[in-house]
DNA sequence: CTGAAAGCGCTTACAG
DNA sequence: CTGAAAGCGCTTACAG
């Protein structure tokens, strides 16, 4: 029963030609190498009949390339990353590249392992939403002239290709929106990660308040520990909203914090209305279907994916790597209820 | 700048030993092979200093294994699959296996490509939520004695390991729940895929109605085309709910159909209350946060992942493959509002 | 028009 | 205690 996989040698023997000939035919070089039509047909027939598939591991070892792009994200079950992954996969597939992906869960150790795993598997290019602490590994990839594109999160020390949105501006606009609606005590619920992207979101909030000459209340900015279980976050937020009853608007700096926050508000029976407004980062079904609908900062998934894949293919087809580019896209504030 | 990757040969040369010795040390066979402590230390020092990582492609080519498990799902951006992926990844990681995953989008062509891709990459085991039309490829894997576990969706023709929930029973119980609440016209919104799992969900609905001797209204079962754009589905459902105003309860056979359905109801301004009940398949944040909260059939993600990974490791560690097992788990009806 | 042979970077049976 | 050598399945420069 067990059909040990065929090799190019088996095909060559069966067709009475050399493995060189079979290899040329497999790689579409038959014509260029002047293989006779008769031979080509004979070999192709055997390949098809036997269902022979060349061993890509051997091919990779020999050529040093794999036609695989590695995608490393923080958490694939986050809809933002899942959406990006899906779009990138589609686009890569059309150019005959496959994507393999994995989640870092924001653990530098795991992120490093993954980069090394991909490297040792001869992945041709890397798309990374980088965890802090992986600068060295990423720098290493760049040094080895591997195509790399970072997205979502930017590591300041690195001169690498990057695609992301203007987080400062998005937060600024969201906060400004609140201010125009006469909000006075605009809370920010964010995460205690000290990464660019998150810092920018805080800064935008702060700067808008200062620019409009409103008092900035530092105590209305709450930083939730990254790995904290959801239930605890909900309790913490209930406490927070109760403690500062003057809050009349909240900006949530991430998708999952918004979900915990809405759950907290629901448990408190606190209405979202003219007196208490909410804006979430990253749109999702859950915000559209919520009653009332929740306004959200939408990152342009399609545009992000498009830019990433373009940068990757630009690098893949270049003789030497072009200078790193930074593509900063605009997020969009979807206003749904006040 | 460009540091061409080191090889075992470079290390051997530097340490003045043979590559055999380096290989033994790398693979933890140093003691077993009686390599002297002095040599071990010298070699390990060089490996660490130079940051040498063995080329896994070469290793795979030589050993035929890769310590990689391939996970093939319908759509990684579906929270059910993303959740499973995440859990499986965690568990595999602990045993030093990596997961690579990819989406089939329910296209048999893509699913076949992926199986072949994984095969040609020497993936050690396969976890597949199978698209119809891939029976042959999966049978091929089994024939080659590759560890395989199917989940979520079952392909009747195949005698393979399988982990899933009892869909018939879950639908039956959901429908029964409606009947106990005196519902008379229980609609079913399902998808037009003719796969076991979906058929069972329809059957459970039908059987419950028949068992309780209620009239079965075939026109209250609507089958939405699988690839239909969301907006059209919403319009179709609005039309459906308007046409059959007698409907007093709806069971949605999938997660995303429930989301489209809730959107339709929202657009119609149709309240979900004592007179109009809803149950969704697969739980999610969106149902918990909805007003009112939506009841859901919850598949036990953790249990599913656990069983899958156990079956995989059972096969991986067996000398010869054990007889295929089918693990059928119970889904749970989460009653939230009537 | 086609083939023999080297080599990609490993692992491991065999020899000493 | 350690090493030379074969071989995993390919690709490709070279020879004829």
């Amino acid at each position: 029963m067990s059909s040990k996989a065929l090799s190019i040698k088996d095909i060559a023997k069966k067709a009475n030609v050399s493995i060189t000939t079979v290899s040329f035919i497999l790689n579409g070089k038959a014509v260029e190498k002047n293989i006779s039509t008769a031979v080509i047909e004979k070999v192709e027939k055997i390949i098809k009949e036997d269902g022979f598939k060349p061993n890509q591991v051997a091919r990779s070892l020999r050529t040093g390339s794999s036609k695989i792009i590695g995608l490393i994200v923080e958490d694939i079950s986050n809809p933002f990353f899942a959406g990006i992954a899906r779009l990138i996969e589609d686009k890569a597939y059309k150019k005959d590249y496959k994507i393999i992906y994995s989640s870092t869960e924001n653990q530098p150790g795991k992120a490093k392992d993954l980069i090394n795993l991909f490297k040792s598997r001869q992945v041709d290019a890397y798309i990374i939403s980088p965890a802090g602490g992986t600068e060295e590994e990423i720098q290493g990839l760049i040094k080895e002239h591997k195509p790399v594109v970072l997205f979502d999160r930017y590591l300041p020390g690195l001169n690498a290709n990057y695609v992301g949105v203007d987080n400062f501006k998005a937060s600024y606009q969201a906060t400004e929106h609140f201010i125009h609606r006469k909000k006075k005590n605009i809370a920010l619920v964010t995460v205690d990660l000290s990464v660019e992207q998150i810092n920018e979101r805080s800064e935008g909030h702060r700067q808008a308040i200062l620019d409009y000459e409103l008092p900035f209340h530092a105590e209305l900015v709450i930083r939730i520990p990254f790995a904290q279980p959801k239930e605890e976050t909900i309790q913490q937020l209930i406490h927070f909203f109760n403690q500062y009853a003057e809050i009349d608007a909240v900006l949530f700096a991430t998708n999952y914090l918004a979900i915990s926050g809405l759950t907290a508000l629901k448990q408190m029976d606190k209405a979202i209305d003219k007196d208490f407004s909410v804006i979430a980062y990253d749109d999702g079904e859950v915000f559209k279907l919520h009653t009332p609908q929740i306004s959200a900062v939408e990152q342009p998934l399609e545009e992000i994916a498009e830019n990433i894949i373009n940068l990757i293919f630009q690098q893949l087809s270049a003789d030497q790597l072009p200078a790193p580019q930074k593509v900063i896209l605009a997020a969009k504030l979807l206003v749904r209820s006040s």
Side-chain angles (χ1 to χ4, degrees), chain A:
Chain A
M1 286 303 277
S2 164
S3 42
K4 173 115 180 54
L6 292 168
S7 81
I8 204 172
K9 212 197 254 171
D10 301 313
I11 303 298
K13 195 174 294 168
K14 206 158 178 177
N16 250 311
V17 298
S18 74
I19 59 170
T20 307
T21 304
V22 178
S23 177
F24 284 156
I25 292 171
L26 278 172
N27 290 295
K29 297 190 178 168
V31 175
E32 168 190 339
K33 298 290 181 179
N34 293 319
I35 313 274
S36 70
T37 320
V39 171
I40 296 178
E41 277 170 3
K42 178 173 63 172
V43 172
E44 277 177 346
K45 185 150 166 274
I46 294 175
I47 288 174
K48 185 174 276 175
E49 277 175 8
D50 294 5
F52 167 65
K53 301 265 189 280
N55 180 324
Q56 298 298 333
V57 170
R59 182 178 279 184
S60 282
L61 179 59
R62 181 55 228 242
T63 65
S65 95
S66 61
K67 288 269 183 187
I68 290 182
I69 297 170
L71 172 61
I72 298 178
V73 299
E74 182 181 309
D75 177 6
I76 194 66
S77 67
N78 175 322
F80 171 74
F81 290 118
I84 290 281
R86 172 74 182 268
L87 287 167
I88 288 181
E89 197 175 354
D90 274 2
K91 291 175 201 296
Y93 210 75
K94 282 181 193 136
K95 305 220 184 185
D96 211 28
Y97 274 80
K98 316 288 189 236
I99 300 284
I100 63 181
Y101 28 105
S102 233
S103 309
T104 65
E105 292 156 59
N106 218 38
Q107 300 166 18
K110 202 171 166 206
K112 287 181 200 175
D113 282 359
L114 286 173
I115 292 176
N116 283 326
L117 168 70
F118 285 179
K119 219 159 101 173
S120 68
R121 295 273 156 208
Q122 321 261 63
V123 153
D124 288 347
Y126 298 78
I127 301 172
I128 307 176
S129 145
T134 52
E135 287 81 355
E136 217 173 295
E137 276 71 20
I138 295 175
Q139 192 59 58
L141 294 176
I142 298 173
K143 237 189 202 157
E144 292 174 30
H145 302 314
K146 298 289 183 204
V148 174
V149 175
L150 307 185
F151 77 105
D152 185 50
R153 190 176 291 181
Y154 182 60
L155 296 179
L158 285 176
N159 185 26
N161 289 284
Y162 173 72
V163 178
V165 308
D166 188 336
N167 287 291
F168 174 85
K169 196 164 167 192
S171 271
Y172 190 99
Q173 286 176 338
T175 308
E176 201 173 26
H177 173 81
F178 283 145
I179 294 171
H180 289 155
R181 304 279 175 110
K182 309 285 179 242
K183 302 300 176 187
K184 304 279 178 244
N185 294 291
I186 304 169
L188 171 70
V189 177
T190 184
V191 56
D192 74 342
L193 293 176
S194 176
V195 298
E196 278 291 289
Q197 165 217 30
I198 295 296
N199 294 344
E200 286 175 10
R201 292 180 190 184
S202 291
E203 266 313 299
H205 167 257
R206 193 180 130 91
Q207 196 59 51
I209 291 175
L210 295 179
D211 283 358
Y212 281 86
E213 301 185 339
L214 294 177
F216 179 74
H217 301 293
E219 71 275 16
L220 299 188
V221 174
I222 181 170
R223 295 161 63 85
I224 308 288
F226 173 73
Q228 174 167 285
K230 189 167 176 180
E231 197 37 55
E232 282 173 46
T233 301
I234 292 170
Q235 292 312 319
Q236 194 181 351
L237 288 175
I238 290 177
H239 182 79
F240 175 70
F241 291 134
N242 278 327
Q243 185 176 9
Y244 301 106
E246 68 270 26
I247 294 172
D248 49 13
V250 188
L251 173 61
F252 291 100
T254 79
N255 189 292
Y256 66 89
L257 286 175
I259 288 172
S260 294
L262 292 174
T263 308
L265 293 169
K266 189 163 190 127
Q267 286 185 20
M268 295 166 70
D269 257 328
K270 174 131 189 128
I272 295 168
D273 53 21
K274 313 105 242 135
D275 299 327
F276 192 90
S277 300
V278 165
I279 297 180
Y281 243 92
D282 289 344
D283 196 25
E285 295 298 349
V286 60
F287 303 133
K288 273 184 258 180
L289 276 175
H290 194 273
T291 307
Q293 292 196 317
I294 302 298
S295 301
V297 173
E298 183 190 46
Q299 304 199 53
L301 285 199
E302 178 78 41
E303 237 183 303
I304 293 173
E306 188 73 38
N307 275 282
I308 291 174
I309 211 74
N310 285 348
L311 281 173
I312 287 289
F313 284 124
Q314 234 170 284
Q315 295 176 75
L316 240 19
S317 61
D319 288 339
Q320 63 183 78
L321 289 193
Q325 280 178 257
K326 306 219 182 309
V327 180
I328 308 295
L329 303 167
K332 196 165 145 194
L333 179 60
L334 304 173
V335 177
R336 293 197 171 111
S337 58
S338 50

